[in-house]
Amino acid sequence: MKRWPTNMHLELAAGHLNAPVGPLVKPADLALALRTGSLAAAGEQAGPLLASLFVESSPQTLLACVREAGASLQSAQRLYEETLAAGAPAVAQWEEVVRNFS
């Protein structure tokens, strides 16, 4: 029986962000950004791409990424707030998830 990788959602989200530009975001970059709540933690190449993470990924995928990264909802929310400060649009679905878990 085939087993899915334990970081399947991190790989999915990173692959989606990389689709138009090539392999700049690694799953480990995404995990680090989620754990620290900081785009800068992902590095100069990955950070700017991660600014679109909440727009490009469903809340379900993001929550799975948070779990796989060993992050908290609070650190993921700090990352979201940083993406807003960087100019990304607000994502009502993510904000609803955060409200429901708070």
Side-chain angles (χ1 to χ4, degrees):
M1 175 179 217
K2 183 176 180 172
R3 297 192 57 160
W4 295 104
T6 57
N7 64 345
M8 176 177 79
H9 294 93
L10 288 167
E11 289 184 18
L12 174 72
H16 180 72
L17 292 172
N18 285 329
V21 295
L24 299 178
V25 177
K26 297 181 184 97
D29 298 330
L30 173 52
L32 185 59
L34 286 167
R35 283 194 304 272
T36 63
S38 171
L39 293 170
E44 288 182 23
Q45 288 187 323
L49 287 173
L50 287 174
S52 65
L53 174 67
F54 293 88
V55 173
E56 294 289 333
S57 301
S58 72
Q60 295 81 6
T61 298
L62 289 166
L63 289 173
C65 288
V66 167
R67 186 185 69 250
E68 290 174 5
S72 67
L73 186 60
Q74 292 81 13
S75 63
Q77 178 62 17
R78 283 194 309 273
L79 183 63
Y80 173 69
E81 291 167 0
E82 190 173 320
T83 68
L84 294 177
V91 179
Q93 297 91 341
W94 173 256
E95 292 175 0
E96 173 129 357
V97 165
V98 172
R99 271 193 304 277
N100 289 337
F101 277 101
S102 299

